[in-house]
Amino acid sequence: MKLAKKSVLGIALSGLISMGAQAGSVEVLHYWTSGGEAKSASVLKNLLEKEGHQWEDFAVAGGGGESAMTVLKSRAVSGNPPSAAQIKGLDIQEWAELGFLTNLDKVAKKAKWDDLLPEVVSDVMKYEGHYVAVPVNVHRVNWLWANPEIFKKAGVEIPKTWSEFIQVADKIKAAGYTPLAHGGQAWQDATLFEAVALGEGGPEFYGKAFVQHDQATLTSQKMTDILATFKKLKSYIDSDSAGRDWNIATAMVINGKAAMQIMGDWAKGEFTAAGKKPGTDYVCVAAPGTADAFTFNIDSFAMFDVKGSDSKTAQADLARLIMEPSFQETFNLNKGSIPARLGMARDKFDSCAHTSMDDFVSTAGNGGLVPSMAHGMSTTSAVQGAIYDVVTNYFNSDSITAEQATEKLARAIRAAI
Ligand code: BGC
């Protein structure tokens, strides 16, 4: 009987607590639907629920988030956007400029976000000097993931340049394996292309092409050479790649069907979810020719204007939780990325994450830190879309030469700016 009384009291108390804390719900739009991604998203859901709020999951499948952004636009146009959406890079500025986003300065000031974030991160989260988004991580995009067993069987070493990649891939092919795991989707083609551009062109060339959109760089012989190398990689991909999701490609490396994948470190989330350890089960190294560079891709949530004080409280709590160390640690251990905030303990992170943490700092000092074009960091979605179209058409067609692709790329970018 006593027990029953206690639990009645407990229920009443927790009711009071949540009333005091104004429990609300937050609808969260995201595109984290692979095994590793879903595990990561649930970290945030659990933390929010612990505070007494409700998480309304609004997951839209589709790597890179193109489908999620289409759905977001239609919801916003009909006057019913979610409270929080996984938006990043220059898209944040575009949404803020249209007047959709909420000012998060109060939460940011209280928790001292300005002191906790590197400027390269906080700049992206602000619109006209005010916080409108919160960063969850820093992904590095220029990685090569490899299956060491296949390398051993083929008698080859992990390639350090793109010309080595081609030599090694030929031997792996001859040994009966698929050299390159890849999914034939525009954003994956663009991810591979930007890795080749960075590896063969270097960070300065990369910046001129994908940040400044300098026409002389875009029409250069170097760009044609890069496009030619990129096209060669097609012959190392199996014939079933059309439409394949990125995580299925990662599974080919995990399961010993393919030797390598060029993909951001969300791929590590899949290795981790499969119980694999770096150094023994798989290898992570910078994509060929990019050891001194770091293509960054920061995931973040932008908060939309919502009505009702309970919804506003829940939304502000979500923003606060995202920046707290416990979320930043657990989420990033699952996601494969590194924390966005500075001064986090490193001990629970693996060797790939340590490399990423070190390289993030060192490349920030040597000019090698560049924003990812394929992942919405370097340019507007209009220019990014134009690049995607040219790159994917060229990669998947037999009738476009590297010279023609160079011209098309320069022209498409010029038209989309
Ligand atoms: C996002 C990652 C996501 C990946 C695959 C990237 O653009 O930044 O968070 O895991 O796409 O969907």
Side-chain angles (χ1 to χ4, degrees):
M1 270 301 132
K2 252 188 177 167
L3 207 74
K5 257 189 198 162
K6 231 184 179 173
S7 53
V8 169
L9 185 69
I11 292 166
L13 271 179
S14 65
L16 276 178
I17 291 166
S18 56
M19 265 172 70
Q22 283 184 311
S25 75
V26 191
E27 191 184 18
V28 187
L29 177 120
H30 63 92
Y31 46 95
W32 291 328
T33 53
S34 77
E37 289 175 330
K39 257 183 126 176
S40 317
S42 71
V43 173
L44 191 54
K45 175 177 187 273
N46 293 341
L47 284 172
L48 189 79
E49 286 176 349
K50 261 198 196 148
E51 303 245 333
H53 299 303
Q54 230 182 315
W55 168 284
E56 279 178 58
D57 201 51
F58 185 5
V60 181
E66 265 186 289
S67 312
M69 291 309 105
T70 308
V71 173
L72 176 64
K73 275 176 205 149
S74 75
R75 279 281 302 267
V77 164
S78 64
N80 181 30
S83 328
Q86 190 192 338
I87 308 178
K88 54 187 178 175
L90 294 171
D91 275 3
I92 297 173
Q93 319 299 315
E94 287 177 14
W95 282 102
E97 204 175 339
L98 291 169
F100 280 101
L101 303 185
T102 264
N103 184 320
L104 298 171
D105 284 350
K106 217 167 125 196
V107 189
K109 250 204 196 105
K110 196 157 175 213
K112 301 195 166 63
W113 290 2
D114 271 345
D115 299 339
L116 296 173
L117 293 173
E119 235 171 74
V120 68
V121 179
S122 61
D123 279 355
V124 184
M125 303 302 133
K126 290 181 183 175
Y127 174 67
E128 294 186 336
H130 303 287
Y131 279 99
V132 290
V134 207
V136 298
N137 64 5
V138 176
H139 271 303
R140 184 183 199 174
V141 185
N142 57 316
W143 281 111
L144 181 153
W145 308 93
N147 181 310
E149 272 298 299
I150 299 184
F151 274 77
K152 217 160 106 198
K153 284 189 184 143
V156 286
E157 301 287 322
I158 306 284
K160 292 199 174 64
T161 61
W162 283 107
S163 65
E164 276 180 28
F165 183 100
I166 286 164
Q167 289 163 24
V168 163
D170 281 332
K171 295 206 174 116
I172 291 172
K173 206 170 171 180
Y177 297 96
T178 297
L180 185 59
H182 187 74
Q185 297 174 345
W187 74 271
Q188 293 187 58
D189 294 344
T191 301
L192 188 59
F193 171 61
E194 79 174 18
V196 179
L198 184 64
E200 295 216 317
E204 201 184 325
F205 173 91
Y206 179 101
K208 281 189 179 158
F210 302 131
V211 182
Q212 296 158 30
H213 307 315
D214 170 54
Q215 282 292 313
T217 306
L218 290 167
T219 53
S220 63
Q221 182 58 43
K222 183 99 230 165
M223 184 57 93
T224 307
D225 295 344
I226 287 166
L227 282 159
T229 302
F230 168 59
K231 188 62 185 271
K232 276 193 199 146
L233 303 180
K234 182 86 179 149
S235 64
Y236 301 118
I237 299 168
D238 65 302
S239 56
D240 294 331
S241 72
R244 176 189 287 142
D245 286 325
W246 66 272
N247 54 313
I248 307 297
T250 309
M252 291 169 69
V253 180
I254 295 177
N255 299 331
K257 297 227 156 57
M260 300 176 268
Q261 183 182 21
I262 301 289
M263 187 49 66
D265 43 22
W266 46 93
K268 201 185 78 186
E270 300 305 297
F271 285 99
T272 306
K276 304 292 181 193
K277 299 269 172 285
T280 42
D281 302 321
Y282 67 96
V283 172
C284 61
V285 289
T290 70
D292 294 330
F294 188 118
T295 326
F296 68 85
N297 169 24
I298 305 160
D299 282 316
S300 47
F301 282 100
M303 304 292 168
F304 283 73
D305 261 333
V306 287
K307 296 206 171 47
S309 66
D310 51 348
S311 301
K312 285 188 200 295
T313 306
Q315 188 184 51
D317 281 345
L318 181 73
R320 172 179 52 77
L321 284 168
I322 287 175
M323 275 291 287
E324 285 182 357
S326 68
F327 167 76
Q328 293 266 331
E329 180 175 272
T330 317
F331 175 85
N332 285 301
L333 286 170
N334 286 304
K335 189 72 171 68
S337 36
I338 58 172
R341 63 177 270 168
L342 300 165
M344 295 278 301
R346 292 165 60 118
D347 47 320
K348 291 208 184 114
F349 287 90
D350 61 24
S351 55
C352 307
H354 288 168
T355 303
S356 187
M357 288 169 183
D358 293 343
D359 291 357
F360 183 65
V361 174
S362 66
T363 56
N366 71 12
L369 185 64
V370 293
S372 169
M373 172 276 293
H375 296 275
M377 293 283 129
S378 80
T379 187
T380 60
S381 49
V383 175
Q384 184 196 36
I387 301 177
Y388 272 21
D389 284 351
V390 175
V391 164
T392 204
N393 283 337
Y394 166 62
F395 198 56
N396 296 295
S397 135
D398 290 330
S399 59
I400 309 173
T401 65
E403 285 76 14
Q404 288 166 336
T406 308
E407 253 175 60
K408 280 176 193 277
L409 185 66
R411 215 178 317 123
I413 292 178
R414 205 163 53 225
I417 288 173

